[in-house]
Amino acid sequence: MLLYRQCLLVSFLILAQINTVSAVTEPFTPVTPDVQPYYQPNDNVEAGLWLQLDKAEQALKHSPKRINDEKLNAYVNKIICRLAEDYCQDIRLYIVRAPFFNAQMAPNGMMIIWSGLLLRVDNEDQLAAVIGHELGHYLKRHTLNNLIDRKNKRNLSAFLTIGLAALGVAPAASITDFILMASIFAHTREQESEADKYGIQLMRKAEYDIREAANVWDAMIEEDKAVKANDSKEVGVPFFATHPPSEDRSKTLSLYAEQLRIIENPPTPPTHKQFVETVATFWSTFLEDQVLLNQPKRTEYLLQTLVSKEKLPGTIHYYNGELLRQRNEEGDIKLAEKEYITAIQYSDAPNFAYRELGLVLLKQKRFQEAHSYFNNYLEYAPDANDREMIEYYLSMEPN
Amino acid sequence: MFAFRMKGIHLAKFTHFATILFALTLLSGCATTGNKSTRSSLDSLHTTSNVLLMPVDVELSVLTAGGELEPRADWTESAKDYMNNAFIEHQRTRNSRLISYHSPDDADPLSGQLAEIERLHGVVGQSILLHEFIQGYKLPSKEEFNWTLGPKVQALKETNENADYALFVFVRDSYSSSGRVAMQIAAAILGVSLQGGLQVGFASLVDLNSGEIVWFNRMFSGTGDLRTQESATQTVAYLLKGLPE
Amino acid sequence: MKKLVVFICIFLISACTPYTLVKSEKTDLNGLSVVPSGSWSALSSMLSVENIPTWTADGSLLNSIMFFGPISNEQKLIKGSDQTNYPEFRKDMLPSEVVEIVESTVTQLYGATILENGTLKPFKINNEPGFQFGFKFAGQDEVPRGLLATGIIKNDMLYIVLYQAANLHFYDKDLANVQRMMASISII
């Protein structure tokens, strides 16, 4: 069955070649999988690794950091199955709260998507590009081959030792440790190229816009550049620890896009709307997690570039205000005030915007105005868990 | 994570933190098995008690010549079977009935609760190893052996025939590959001692009404073997040494 | 590196005492004083994060109380290193903003996710206006934990006491004693 499908794909691609307007020197040579559906370990070494991976998966299943929302999981699972087809039943999805751009797929079929990724992608096709890329690693056994390599086994043990915290001696993890843990799944450049290609292939077959693949990587490189340009010591992207970025990548992906191009301007599939509807409900949570990292340069960059900028203007202005208020340099409080004022014009602004407005006005000793917004906040959020503190602020008067 | 020399003893690289703790208990002069319980004389539990055997957390690995641990799924699977047989045999000689753990569906909200209980048990187990078995690390504010998971463990009773106690078992076992054994012999000739495989484990008995850990045993050995039924039975005997009747 | 030091320490037992009993009398720590309630062991400075005074009842994997202070303007709760981004305290902060820096510090210190926010309210510290708040989080060990913090900004300096414990059973177990201790705090 699979061979038949591959024949179809190859003929399809050859025909596509003939139909394209621009001349292309090389045809797209399809990638073939090294694992079959319903795959089980072949030998003792692999079985031993699966043993540890299965244990890690058990812990992940009930992790407090796992996002269990049915709608979100169903939506992402649908994308996975659309791309993975016959392999769909072998893949189990785990979405975790981790404010970094990253996705990982283990040889036993578990796929982990970090919330920072869901925050950053613009549309479903970009999400499909990353998932397709990870599926490429899985189908070519890249991770498995790397893990079997002796050097990485030691790291795997350390990584999978979930539940064993330090003696309480030193901080359990800096962000660097967090990133290093992800590097257990590090890939070589050759593997990266192959996964890129396979991802594109899967995307095309599933009728996604393959041009979006290049856009995802470009966006990540831009983010990284922008943050470093500000002479910031803010730590890098875990994805790049495992997927070395290269300028060539965009070029190569664009080439594939040329080779595979059938339609010049594909219509916007209706799935984009579903992407926004499904993922938008989580943007606040994801942005909160981002703010807690205390990486204001990166947060600022995200607030300027996220597609949610158009969809959720109230939320974006609110977080602009948060950044300014927290930075608190000369004039920032006044700028923050302006952002919050703008935020509350929009229906998507969180109730907290009223509270923060009260805070910045209080800091400027404009008590009456502050009190008015605090009262708004208490009215819109009757169950506010900081009610008693707000009431205390309301009792504060000029002395 | 790291290897270091201490007083001429070369310790193999430990990748598992629990193994570090076990090693320390050995080096700080404790006996190879040592158990603690909440009562100095071990009372009988009930006239006939039901003991829930939690899924044994066991892993067998090969210790390669280079000092790395390679887990072996086939050894681990058969070790689980051997140990289960040994537990059943062991209980037959006593006044209690062994119940095997029935795990709820992933979709069942109970499974989240149980996962939290098991995770907490792991943390409490580590704390006991650190504070009860390593010389100098006893908490002065905690004079008696007094550890508990809290009464919410009763959730375990519901799906498991109302068991009175739960027995948790944790074992990590490594065996020298032939390459490693050759190195050991060579090293011995040169007068240097190399670690062979290590067997570390602990067992705890939890009162499923109060959550109290009524009995806890730690095992550390260089010679145990879980790859055959006979030696697995012996290991279980070591682990359950002193278990209240 | 610190772990190595601890291990070496174990072999030279005579040279170090990891835990000492907290005596049940008024204790001065870092500019604040507290009256202990219940049975606690104090961690030696070698075992505490950045030498911050820390007490525990069942071992720091299960519960702990950390005493921070005095933290001055533009100082951090945890200093960290070149690789970290711990936030700074500023003397003009309102209690709501202190909550933010504690959440950010805990998030980074334990690789944690904040699971739930608790209440924030005014709290008298020796009859002076302070605050108290809490939240639930889970760190890299995936164990849900509860946190309760009591603090005050006095003379432009922040003093804050953080209690944290495993959510299942342990948080509630010592809560009454902890609350008594927090009520007994005064700034020297």
Side-chain angles (χ1 to χ4, degrees):
Chain A
M1 189 61 190
L2 205 61
L3 201 53
Y4 172 65
R5 279 173 185 268
Q6 283 163 358
C7 279
L8 263 189
L9 177 64
V10 173
S11 341
F12 185 58
L13 293 169
I14 291 171
L15 284 170
Q17 277 291 134
I18 295 166
N19 284 332
T20 49
V21 175
S22 52
V24 176
T25 46
E26 275 173 40
F28 184 95
T29 43
V31 193
T32 54
D34 290 342
V35 299
Q36 297 306 312
Y38 300 99
Y39 180 75
Q40 288 295 309
N42 276 331
D43 59 34
N44 276 331
V45 178
E46 232 184 288
L49 286 168
W50 276 51
L51 185 67
Q52 291 191 303
L53 289 168
D54 287 345
K55 202 168 278 178
E57 189 172 344
Q58 271 305 113
L60 197 50
K61 221 178 257 187
H62 300 292
S63 163
K65 296 186 188 182
R66 186 184 181 191
I67 297 175
N68 291 302
D69 183 78
E70 270 180 44
K71 195 170 164 206
L72 184 64
N73 277 280
Y75 174 67
V76 180
N77 265 316
K78 210 179 59 166
I79 301 171
I80 293 174
C81 285
R82 186 165 147 182
L83 291 161
E85 290 188 314
D86 294 343
Y87 296 87
C88 173
Q89 72 285 329
D90 298 332
I91 300 163
R92 297 169 306 281
L93 171 68
Y94 298 91
I95 305 176
V96 296
R97 273 179 71 185
F100 305 95
F101 179 99
N102 203 6
Q104 301 152 300
M105 193 167 170
N108 71 342
M110 98 176 128
M111 181 178 289
I112 306 170
I113 291 182
W114 298 24
S115 57
L117 172 66
L118 292 175
L119 177 65
R120 285 164 170 81
V121 292
D122 287 341
N123 54 47
E124 183 173 319
D125 299 66
Q126 288 191 3
L127 184 52
V130 180
I131 292 173
H133 179 97
E134 288 307 314
L135 285 171
H137 283 311
Y138 172 76
L139 292 168
K140 296 304 284 181
R141 291 167 56 101
H142 290 160
T143 307
L144 188 61
N145 292 336
N146 290 345
L147 289 175
I148 286 169
D149 173 46
R150 295 173 100 231
K151 285 200 195 68
N152 281 321
K153 262 199 292 287
R154 202 177 315 140
N155 293 331
L156 175 67
S157 268
F159 171 62
L160 293 176
T161 305
I162 294 171
L164 297 184
L167 262 171
V169 175
S174 64
I175 300 298
T176 322
D177 290 346
F178 201 37
I179 290 170
L180 284 172
M181 259 173 43
S183 74
I184 174 59
F185 294 104
H187 296 289
T188 64
R189 279 186 202 279
E190 293 72 37
Q191 290 174 336
E192 278 305 283
S193 292
E194 203 170 41
D196 274 346
K197 194 170 185 196
Y198 215 149
I200 289 282
Q201 184 176 305
L202 295 173
M203 279 180 84
R204 190 71 196 93
K205 187 121 177 292
E207 294 180 6
Y208 279 113
D209 186 348
I210 54 181
R211 296 170 303 178
E212 292 290 356
N215 291 341
V216 177
W217 307 127
D218 284 345
M220 285 320 299
I221 291 171
E222 283 311 307
E223 179 182 324
D224 221 38
K225 267 197 205 143
V227 170
K228 288 195 179 125
N230 284 306
D231 191 32
S232 160
K233 64 171 171 73
E234 288 172 14
V235 177
V237 179
F239 200 79
F240 288 159
T242 62
H243 300 74
S246 77
E247 298 292 343
D248 289 346
R249 164 174 260 148
S250 273
K251 286 203 204 103
T252 314
L253 287 170
S254 301
L255 177 65
Y256 293 147
E258 283 242 351
Q259 289 171 344
L260 292 174
R261 191 169 58 201
I262 308 287
I263 302 158
E264 295 294 313
N265 294 303
T268 311
T271 47
H272 283 198
K273 189 165 169 238
Q274 196 188 357
F275 171 82
V276 171
E277 274 170 9
T278 312
V279 180
T281 50
F282 286 91
W283 271 326
S284 274
T285 308
F286 298 163
L287 279 170
E288 274 302 325
D289 288 346
Q290 170 64 32
V291 169
L292 285 173
L293 289 178
N294 198 34
Q295 294 185 5
K297 299 270 185 279
R298 189 178 294 278
T299 309
E300 194 181 339
Y301 178 81
L302 287 172
L303 290 172
Q304 284 162 5
T305 54
L306 289 179
V307 73
S308 46
K309 204 175 146 193
E310 295 130 41
K311 318 287 181 195
L312 297 174
T315 308
I316 297 295
H317 281 288
Y318 167 73
Y319 281 105
N320 285 342
E322 293 288 84
L323 279 183
L324 288 159
R325 178 177 59 75
Q326 288 175 356
R327 191 175 74 181
N328 200 28
E329 283 170 9
E330 183 91 34
D332 278 349
I333 294 296
K334 264 229 130 330
L335 290 171
E337 183 194 327
K338 284 206 181 79
E339 289 290 343
Y340 294 131
I341 295 275
T342 311
I344 59 178
Q345 316 296 331
Y346 298 96
S347 57
D348 69 285
N351 290 328
F352 298 129
Y354 292 92
R355 177 187 67 193
E356 309 303 271
L357 203 37
L359 285 176
V360 293
L361 288 164
L362 197 62
K363 286 161 96 74
Q364 296 172 73
K365 309 230 184 290
R366 289 152 63 183
F367 291 88
Q368 223 174 344
E369 292 167 83
H371 290 183
S372 155
Y373 285 111
F374 283 138
N375 280 318
N376 285 138
Y377 169 65
L378 289 180
E379 195 193 315
Y380 301 143
D383 296 325
N385 50 26
D386 53 352
R387 169 174 287 274
E388 280 187 59
M389 185 54 77
I390 304 298
E391 283 167 358
Y392 174 76
Y393 295 149
L394 283 168
S395 73
M396 284 168 74
E397 275 165 358
N399 34 6
Chain B
M1 278 185 290
F2 55 86
F4 54 94
R5 268 173 211 289
M6 195 57 62
K7 295 181 184 171
I9 303 163
H10 180 220
L11 296 173
K13 287 177 190 175
F14 295 121
T15 57
H16 199 285
F17 184 68
T19 318
I20 298 174
L21 286 179
F22 280 111
L24 290 173
T25 65
L26 175 71
L27 291 158
S28 60
C30 296
T32 48
T33 68
N35 64 60
K36 308 260 175 160
S37 75
T38 52
R39 293 168 273 268
S40 51
S41 69
L42 304 172
D43 311 341
S44 54
L45 307 172
H46 294 297
T47 42
T48 314
S49 48
N50 294 333
V51 176
L52 170 63
L53 178 63
M54 297 300 290
V56 175
D57 186 351
V58 62
E59 200 174 284
L60 272 61
S61 308
V62 173
L63 185 64
T64 66
E68 280 150 6
L69 287 175
E70 278 179 20
R72 285 287 297 261
D74 52 344
W75 289 352
T76 301
E77 281 314 304
S78 43
K80 282 190 189 152
D81 288 337
Y82 297 146
M83 288 181 78
N84 278 321
N85 293 339
F87 284 123
I88 292 168
E89 266 312 305
H90 190 271
Q91 288 302 104
R92 226 170 264 172
T93 64
R94 303 151 62 85
N95 231 355
S96 44
R97 201 180 124 235
L98 204 68
I99 300 169
S100 31
Y101 179 68
H102 170 254
S103 120
D105 291 330
D106 286 334
D108 189 338
L110 193 59
S111 60
Q113 272 183 286
L114 295 178
E116 201 179 340
I117 291 170
E118 286 180 55
R119 222 181 279 121
L120 184 66
H121 178 265
V123 180
V124 172
Q126 280 177 76
S127 306
I128 293 174
L129 287 169
L130 180 60
H131 297 297
E132 298 287 350
F133 289 94
I134 298 182
Q135 210 164 49
Y137 269 67
K138 185 143 180 67
L139 292 168
S141 53
K142 222 175 148 76
E143 279 179 7
E144 293 173 359
F145 184 89
N146 177 15
W147 300 87
T148 179
L149 302 178
K152 292 233 169 86
V153 297
Q154 287 168 19
L156 277 170
K157 289 169 83 84
E158 286 169 39
T159 45
N160 292 288
E161 302 178 46
N162 242 353
D164 304 302
Y165 297 90
L167 181 63
F168 288 82
V169 175
F170 172 99
V171 178
R172 290 291 180 273
D173 216 339
S174 64
Y175 301 88
S176 295
S177 63
S178 49
R180 185 82 185 159
V181 170
M183 278 190 75
Q184 278 177 277
I185 293 169
I189 292 168
L190 294 169
V192 177
S193 142
L194 273 185
Q195 283 292 335
L198 286 173
Q199 191 178 64
V200 300
F202 73 75
S204 73
L205 191 68
V206 179
D207 180 324
L208 283 182
N209 287 311
S210 63
E212 207 189 335
I213 297 185
V214 299
W215 176 86
F216 185 94
N217 188 27
R218 157 201 135 285
M219 177 192 72
F220 183 91
S221 153
T223 54
D225 192 336
L226 286 169
R227 293 172 299 176
T228 64
Q229 181 64 71
E230 201 190 309
S231 27
T233 303
Q234 205 164 37
T235 301
V236 168
Y238 274 138
L239 264 175
L240 299 183
K241 196 165 156 188
L243 182 70
E245 294 288 327
Chain C
M1 190 56 203
K2 219 171 192 179
K3 266 202 199 139
L4 186 56
V5 171
V6 170
F7 292 154
I8 292 168
C9 185
I10 288 168
F11 297 108
L12 310 166
I13 284 300
S14 50
C16 69
T17 326
Y19 303 99
T20 37
L21 184 65
V22 173
K23 299 200 186 77
S24 48
E25 57 194 31
K26 188 153 168 252
T27 310
D28 289 345
L29 296 157
N30 270 1
L32 60 79
S33 76
V34 63
V35 178
S37 174
S39 214
W40 299 89
S41 303
L43 272 62
S44 71
S45 55
M46 220 173 5
L47 288 180
S48 352
V49 177
E50 293 187 357
N51 299 330
I52 294 157
T54 308
W55 295 355
T56 184
D58 298 286
S60 39
L61 292 176
L62 289 165
N63 48 41
S64 68
I65 310 178
M66 293 168 81
F67 298 88
F68 292 85
I71 312 270
S72 49
N73 190 37
E74 291 181 9
Q75 210 189 318
K76 304 173 187 181
L77 287 165
I78 298 282
K79 293 187 189 71
S81 67
D82 284 341
Q83 307 301 314
T84 57
N85 302 105
Y86 291 109
E88 293 172 355
F89 162 70
R90 282 186 320 271
K91 60 182 183 181
D92 64 342
M93 276 184 169
L94 291 160
S96 310
E97 297 174 289
V98 177
V99 177
E100 286 177 344
I101 64 171
V102 171
E103 282 186 346
S104 179
T105 302
V106 167
T107 298
Q108 295 179 67
L109 185 58
Y110 301 116
T113 303
I114 309 285
L115 300 173
E116 219 179 274
N117 276 302
T119 55
L120 164 64
K121 55 184 193 181
F123 189 85
K124 285 271 199 283
I125 296 204
N126 199 24
N127 241 349
E128 295 181 277
F131 47 86
Q132 189 175 77
F133 61 91
F135 55 84
K136 246 198 237 174
F137 69 96
Q140 277 201 272
D141 61 4
E142 310 272 317
V143 175
R145 293 172 190 277
L147 179 143
L148 183 69
T150 302
I152 184 169
I153 300 173
K154 187 176 171 181
N155 299 332
D156 291 344
M157 305 224 266
L158 172 68
Y159 301 82
I160 190 159
V161 178
L162 292 190
Y163 163 64
Q164 50 158 308
N167 205 45
L168 186 55
H169 181 71
F170 283 86
Y171 182 81
D172 291 331
K173 177 169 86 75
D174 297 303
L175 189 59
N177 277 327
V178 168
Q179 281 172 330
R180 246 171 255 134
M181 285 196 275
M182 287 183 169
S184 78
I185 294 170
S186 62
I187 310 302
I188 302 168

